Amino acid sequence: MKLTLRIWRQSGPTGALVTYPLDDLSPDMSFLEMLDVLNESLVLRGEEPVAFDHDCREGICGMCGLMINGVAHGPEKATTACQLHLRHFRDGDTVTVEPWRAKPFPVLRDLVVDRSALDRIVESGGYISAPTGSAPDAHATPVPKQAADTAFTSAACIGCGACVAACPNGSAMLFTAAKATHLGSLPQGQPERWTRAQDMVQAHDDLGFGGCTNAGECIPACPKGIPLTTIAQLNRDLLRSHLR
Amino acid sequence: MQTLRLYRSTVGKKAVMAVTGVGLLLFVVGHMVGNLAIFSGPAAIDGYAAWLREIGVVWPLRFGLLLCVGLHMVVAIQLARRARKARPVGYEHGRRPQSYAARTMRWGGVVIALFVVYHLLDLTAGVANPHGVQGEVYNNLVADFRLWYVVLAYTVAVLALGLHIRHGAWSALQSLGVTAPRGIALVVATAICAGYLSVPAAVVLGVVS
């Protein structure tokens, strides 16, 4: 199949979309394999290949992240860009590929952005203080099933940044809430639950992310299906932490 | 210190937005119920307005509303400016947010604010009203809604209010940490629109004259 790609190319402070027509693509290729094919041809022509982030290519690491036709990770629901296949496009389509756009995510090159800001949020409170050593017995701390389920759903976040990219406010609240809810739902996370909510929201705000206005755009963008209820829980935890 | 830290956070600002919004929503519901007194005739609605003044709720209510509107707008502007700064370079292939109600919150709010100014000049001060006699609520309303452009402006404003509540009522709960089904906000918004629009509809259709 044929596709015309419009890809954001940037090596300095500004960039532009560059058009690349591609022929002989297989519908069974992944989106990233298509970029590999493009890069091979660019290298053969002596041009600079398109820089893009990728690692596991099986949808579990959170490295890949592309804005495909204005949709984070492309048109398939609950799918990372690496797991998106060309069969979901029509032969002859024009596809625009851009990097995540947010002030705290500066573009490093082409489609690669620096997502260290998400690490700064985790450093501010996305952990528990626990004595280390040999692994505790699995049943040493009983966890109610419902709490375990909530924690697990939130822990599925791979930190790809799609929620920020899709948010009309450039907010990282879904990411922050997923981390806070993951730990805040478990017994091990209780001692630091209130300071965690305050410190993570503070870090989120200080990094220059926008505020959440409950537009809900992050939900279809999230490849791991993190629910909006996590944001409600973080809001509740933060308000409770101040009112206690 | 704690309160200041909360107010400075984006979550705290959303809580201010939610609490003031709920206050304004309660007023809007009360106002709508009061409006329905028009269906019981001139004596009922004029008497209701006089009674509100008698029991002395008018001025405390005005101060409360002014406070709510002021805070609601200040926080909205702060959050909107923050959002703009958070994405200095936009997408070439952009996509508008899918929820129409959510993406019209900011400009819809401006439309409602402008209407409120006109509405106060019209039915509170009376200067923009074709009848404009203090205390004759019934006659003022009927004189208003005999003019097609007043009906049009009123309808647009009520629909803008409905859309605002459609996203806002649900969003306020979410901001305060309560996850509610979105349908609740739709029911509230529809009921408020129906209640408010029943008055101009009654005048236009000649039920009230």
Side-chain angles (χ1 to χ4, degrees):
Chain A
M1 62 189 284
K2 276 186 191 181
L3 285 178
T4 305
L5 295 180
R6 295 166 71 226
I7 299 181
W8 184 263
R9 302 301 311 260
Q10 176 173 350
S11 53
T14 54
L17 286 173
V18 179
T19 303
Y20 298 99
L22 285 180
D23 272 336
D24 295 330
L25 295 167
S26 156
D28 297 328
M29 278 179 178
S30 77
F31 203 84
L32 301 191
E33 283 166 344
M34 173 186 67
L35 293 179
D36 292 336
V37 168
L38 169 66
N39 278 347
E40 272 178 21
S41 71
L42 289 178
V43 170
L44 285 177
R45 295 206 304 252
E47 291 178 37
E48 194 66 30
V50 177
F52 64 95
D53 259 335
H54 60 104
D55 190 15
C56 76
R57 298 212 179 193
E58 53 187 49
I60 56 172
C61 78
M63 266 313 270
C64 64
L66 303 168
M67 209 64 171
I68 300 167
N69 282 343
V71 181
H73 288 300
E76 280 296 284
K77 259 194 152 180
T79 304
T80 52
C82 64
Q83 291 293 298
L84 172 67
H85 292 84
L86 298 192
R87 67 182 81 101
H88 298 296
F89 295 91
R90 273 183 315 208
D91 196 15
D93 272 357
T94 298
V95 181
T96 308
V97 191
E98 295 174 82
W100 290 166
R101 294 289 189 197
K103 179 128 190 291
F105 287 174
V107 174
L108 297 177
R109 189 179 193 96
D110 299 337
L111 303 170
V112 180
V113 298
D114 181 358
R115 285 171 289 185
S116 309
L118 297 183
D119 297 337
R120 302 290 92 75
I121 294 176
V122 170
E123 284 167 9
S124 71
Y127 52 80
I128 59 162
S129 298
T132 54
S134 56
D137 288 336
H139 63 311
T141 311
V143 181
K145 175 76 168 95
Q146 217 182 351
D149 286 349
T150 307
F152 193 81
T153 305
S154 312
C157 170
I158 51 176
C160 64
C163 47
V164 180
C167 177
N169 302 302
S171 176
M173 208 42 95
L174 191 67
F175 170 82
T176 310
K179 301 300 170 196
T181 303
H182 160 206
L183 298 171
S185 301
L186 294 171
Q188 294 90 335
Q190 295 310 308
E192 287 147 323
R193 181 168 181 178
W194 313 109
T195 50
R196 177 183 304 116
Q198 293 190 4
D199 294 343
M200 289 184 83
V201 169
Q202 170 105 50
H204 168 276
D205 293 353
D206 289 348
L207 286 158
F209 290 105
C212 171
T213 62
N214 308 319
E217 288 294 301
C218 51
I219 300 306
C222 178
K224 294 296 154 186
I226 308 290
L228 214 48
T229 48
T230 58
I231 298 184
Q233 178 158 339
L234 177 61
N235 292 341
R236 189 161 63 237
D237 280 7
L238 186 82
L239 294 174
R240 266 181 71 181
S241 77
H242 285 286
L243 299 173
R244 262 151 55 95
Chain B
M1 266 320 284
Q2 279 286 301
T3 321
L4 194 67
R5 191 181 178 197
L6 177 62
Y7 176 73
R8 286 206 179 130
S9 74
T10 53
V11 175
K13 288 191 193 298
K14 286 301 294 176
V16 171
M17 202 74 169
V19 171
T20 55
V22 167
L24 293 168
L25 179 63
L26 291 176
F27 168 76
V28 160
V29 171
H31 187 346
M32 183 198 81
V33 173
N35 285 3
L36 298 181
I38 198 168
F39 292 105
S40 304
I45 194 160
D46 293 2
Y48 169 70
W51 174 74
L52 283 182
R53 282 180 188 279
E54 250 168 56
I55 60 169
V57 296
V58 172
W59 277 103
L61 201 59
R62 282 176 182 168
F63 278 119
L65 287 173
L66 202 61
L67 187 70
C68 281
V69 170
L71 281 171
H72 203 72
M73 281 171 60
V74 165
V75 174
I77 292 166
Q78 286 174 340
L79 284 170
R81 289 183 56 175
R82 203 189 156 83
R84 187 169 295 199
K85 267 196 228 157
R87 181 165 294 136
V89 181
Y91 293 104
E92 299 271 334
H93 186 122
R95 204 179 61 138
R96 291 187 304 181
Q98 284 164 317
S99 158
Y100 185 77
R103 74 166 185 260
T104 52
M105 283 307 270
R106 284 164 186 157
W107 283 111
V110 173
V111 169
I112 295 166
L114 290 175
F115 174 77
V116 167
V117 172
Y118 159 73
H119 193 57
L120 291 175
L121 292 174
D122 178 19
L123 289 163
T124 305
V127 292
N129 190 282
H131 186 66
V133 179
Q134 198 76 243
E136 292 189 14
V137 181
Y138 188 94
N139 292 339
N140 288 343
L141 280 176
V142 172
D144 248 350
F145 292 137
R146 283 206 174 125
L147 303 171
W148 66 269
Y149 48 85
V150 174
V151 173
L152 182 70
Y154 189 87
T155 307
V156 168
V158 167
L159 292 178
L161 179 68
L163 269 178
H164 207 74
I165 293 168
R166 167 84 178 90
H167 178 72
W170 172 84
S171 183
L173 290 174
Q174 171 84 2
S175 296
L176 295 175
V178 184
T179 303
R182 279 181 197 257
I184 288 178
L186 182 62
V187 171
V188 172
T190 310
I192 286 174
C193 283
Y196 276 104
L197 292 178
S198 68
V199 178
V203 176
V204 169
L205 297 175
V207 180
V208 167
S209 57

